[in-house]
Amino acid sequence: MEKILTSTEKVREFQIKIYQKAKSEPKFRFYALYDKLYRKDVLDESWRRVKANKGGAGIDGKAIEDIEKEGVEQLLSGIEKELKELSYKPSSLKRVEIPKADGRKRPLSIPTVKDRVVQMALKLVIEPIFEADFEKNSYGYRPGKGTHDAVNEVKKNVYLGWTQVIEVDIENCFGTIPHKELLERVARRIVDRKILWLVNMFLKADVMGAGRKDDDRIGTPQGGVISPLLANIYLDQIDKAWRKFQKYARMIRYADDIVILTKQYAEGNKRVLEKIVKSLKLKTNAKKTKITNAEEEKFDFLGFSFRRATSQLTKEKMAYFWPSKKSVKKAMDKVKEIASIYRMEKVDEIVKQLNPVMRGWVNYFRVSNGSKQLNKVKDYTADKVRKYMKRKAGVKGYGFGKYTDEFLYEKLGLYGDYKVRWMNA
């Protein structure tokens, strides 16, 4: 009996075929892709992924739960009809600003759930084509790759003595990628005019917020499903331009976060990189793009601090990495925020909100040499909960009383199943 494939399996099968075609023929240009966007399996898989990613409502105020109440099939059939008839038009993007570690705010542009489904369908169809072309030193927002892969690559090279570090910061990278040049990069592989039309519409969608519209000639608005892929398509030019230098100066890129590790001529490599970035109509931040010697001081990348130092145990040079000061502060600020929000609630409500934050912290940083930083955040969190309980019970003084760590772990379930991981950090 022939096996009936799920939507996920059908989409994966399609992606493998199109990837293999792109990989085997680097100059092939794809011309018949648009009709794949509204295939039922593609739309079903797009919805599944959008739902799994969660995310808030767009400018129409409709969240995932609202769509489910109204009917998912109704949404998907409507999308299919609009795409077929070429009547689809994305809604304006909702502007949201989230605080950054340096006190500034990062603007996010949130599409509606409907637009996220269409963007996801577009991503499922075209991503394998560009994945076949991307360089190995790129790790951000790519299938099968992640931050830990990039971090481990940095650690490996620092250990091997590549300790002259160029920390690269591209100023407002996502917000300054030029549309014309980006579309030209997409068109090098895709000649389906309907696909290019759709990409162009997503790039030029209005960003509403504070009573204004953003410039529609530049930028891939952060917050959209398709934006990271489009940014990678454009920034892949940096990787390709650097390929001839990779043997002498190792570049590791995670989206717009870049470090270059070398053994010599760091200043010259920095100038070459700045020239490449400028040729793409982007700009490096002069204050944040700097050279660091990892033998003498730490450098930060993707929330970790790195340094090469002599092991007290083996007396050999080793690469060490741990949660950066900014990462520790960010975690503690989040704990403080939760404790403040739920000050008048029951303690189990505080624990319920804290546990996912702590799990995320453990999962991300436990790969490092960060026991000191991990325990600092753990102790800070326990102290916040302890103070809350003592205050509510009217207990004064500095002692733990009955609110010991064991009480917080066992009775309240603080950190949940991650208690052992914390204790062994």
Side-chain angles (χ1 to χ4, degrees):
M1 181 180 294
E2 185 179 351
K3 180 184 177 182
I4 299 176
L5 300 178
T6 65
S7 293
T8 300
E9 290 169 334
K10 288 179 182 178
V11 170
R12 185 60 186 149
E13 190 176 75
F14 164 77
Q15 288 183 314
I16 291 171
K17 288 180 180 178
I18 203 168
Y19 173 86
Q20 291 173 339
K21 177 70 173 178
K23 195 71 175 177
S24 63
E25 298 184 41
K27 294 185 178 181
F28 185 82
R29 302 176 76 191
F30 292 80
Y31 52 87
L33 296 172
Y34 184 78
D35 62 317
K36 311 298 188 296
L37 298 182
Y38 49 81
R39 278 178 17 178
K40 186 177 188 308
D41 56 326
V42 171
L43 290 178
D44 285 345
E45 178 64 9
S46 299
W47 165 257
R48 188 189 70 79
R49 294 195 184 195
V50 168
K51 180 181 177 181
N53 290 341
K54 300 179 181 178
I59 201 167
D60 62 354
K62 292 183 179 181
I64 297 289
E65 296 77 14
D66 300 314
I67 299 295
E68 290 181 315
K69 289 178 182 177
E70 294 176 1
V72 175
E73 287 304 317
Q74 180 180 330
L75 171 73
L76 299 184
S77 62
I79 290 174
E80 179 186 3
K81 182 174 184 294
E82 289 182 20
L83 289 175
K84 277 185 178 179
E85 297 175 352
L86 298 179
S87 61
Y88 170 77
K89 184 179 180 181
S91 302
S92 297
L93 304 170
K94 179 182 176 182
R95 171 54 53 86
V96 176
E97 293 186 331
I98 58 174
K100 297 175 67 174
D102 59 7
R104 296 181 299 165
K105 293 186 176 180
R106 182 192 302 276
L108 293 183
S109 303
I110 310 299
T112 63
V113 174
K114 174 184 174 182
D115 291 336
R116 297 207 292 272
V117 172
V118 179
Q119 287 191 24
M120 184 62 79
L122 177 62
K123 180 174 181 284
L124 290 174
V125 171
I126 71 172
E127 184 177 55
I129 297 170
F130 296 99
E131 271 296 315
D133 296 337
F134 288 158
E135 299 295 320
K136 293 181 180 179
N137 65 293
S138 167
Y139 293 88
Y141 307 105
R142 296 185 58 189
K145 290 193 172 188
T147 50
H148 287 167
D149 298 307
V151 165
N152 285 329
E153 186 66 16
V154 172
K155 180 189 176 186
K156 180 185 77 175
N157 283 285
V158 170
Y159 169 73
L160 293 174
W162 299 74
T163 54
Q164 290 189 31
V165 183
I166 307 166
E167 301 178 63
V168 182
D169 183 89
I170 300 178
E171 195 169 298
N172 189 21
C173 179
F174 281 81
T176 56
I177 291 176
H179 292 176
K180 180 176 178 292
E181 287 78 1
L182 171 57
L183 286 168
E184 287 173 354
R185 296 301 302 180
V186 176
R188 283 175 176 248
R189 272 302 214 169
I190 297 174
V191 291
D192 188 326
R193 292 185 177 183
K194 294 174 185 177
I195 291 287
L196 298 176
W197 162 76
L198 192 60
V199 172
N200 189 50
M201 280 203 302
F202 285 133
L203 287 173
K204 295 189 181 301
D206 296 337
V207 181
M208 306 301 292
R212 64 179 177 83
K213 296 182 181 180
D214 278 354
D215 188 340
D216 69 351
R217 294 166 297 178
I218 59 173
T220 57
Q222 288 180 274
V225 174
I226 199 68
S227 295
L229 173 59
L230 295 178
N232 268 337
I233 291 171
Y234 195 72
L235 296 178
D236 181 60
Q237 296 175 92
I238 296 178
D239 303 333
K240 284 181 167 44
W242 196 263
R243 185 163 51 188
K244 60 185 176 183
F245 303 105
Q246 190 73 355
K247 183 177 179 180
Y248 311 101
R250 311 287 173 80
M251 174 187 288
I252 295 97
R253 182 175 68 82
Y254 190 96
D256 60 334
D257 288 314
I258 303 173
V259 290
I260 298 172
L261 309 173
T262 184
K263 294 183 178 181
Q264 57 186 348
Y265 309 128
E267 190 60 50
N269 283 310
K270 177 173 172 286
R271 287 195 295 269
V272 171
L273 185 280
E274 289 170 339
K275 187 176 180 180
I276 293 171
V277 170
K278 186 178 180 181
S279 72
L280 299 179
K281 297 187 177 181
L282 302 174
K283 182 182 178 182
T284 55
N285 186 319
K287 291 183 179 179
K288 294 184 177 181
T289 300
K290 58 184 180 179
I291 296 173
T292 303
N293 188 335
E295 295 273 14
E296 300 173 357
E297 58 181 317
K298 67 177 181 62
F299 67 94
D300 293 347
F301 183 61
L302 298 179
F304 292 88
S305 292
F306 296 81
R307 186 170 178 185
R308 191 169 189 252
T310 303
S311 167
Q312 294 182 355
L313 183 64
T314 66
K315 307 303 179 185
E316 295 179 354
K317 288 287 186 179
M318 302 291 292
Y320 295 97
F321 69 122
W322 61 92
S324 68
K325 285 185 178 180
K326 285 184 179 180
S327 298
V328 172
K329 183 179 184 302
K330 184 178 179 181
M332 291 168 69
D333 286 346
K334 185 64 179 178
V335 170
K336 184 178 180 181
E337 177 189 343
I338 291 172
S340 297
I341 292 174
Y342 291 93
R343 186 164 291 171
M344 302 307 293
E345 301 291 337
K346 295 180 179 179
V347 69
D348 58 351
E349 284 296 323
I350 298 178
V351 171
K352 184 179 178 181
Q353 295 294 322
L354 284 174
N355 277 347
V357 175
M358 297 301 102
R359 290 188 191 110
W361 173 262
V362 171
N363 281 336
Y364 191 73
F365 289 110
R366 67 189 299 266
V367 299
S368 70
N369 313 106
S371 59
K372 180 180 178 181
Q373 291 77 18
L374 286 164
N375 281 308
K376 183 176 181 180
V377 174
K378 174 179 70 71
D379 292 343
Y380 179 84
T381 304
D383 191 52
K384 279 291 179 184
V385 175
R386 183 180 294 112
K387 284 182 178 178
Y388 170 85
M389 295 185 71
K390 289 176 65 178
R391 183 170 58 247
K392 195 156 187 175
V395 177
K396 297 182 179 181
Y398 295 99
F400 284 7
K402 71 174 184 178
Y403 307 111
T404 61
D405 285 351
E406 288 72 20
F407 177 86
L408 300 179
Y409 301 150
E410 303 297 339
K411 301 294 184 183
L412 298 181
L414 186 61
Y415 314 135
D417 295 336
Y418 284 70
K419 181 194 72 171
V420 175
R421 297 189 186 184
W422 276 102
M423 299 303 288
N424 293 335

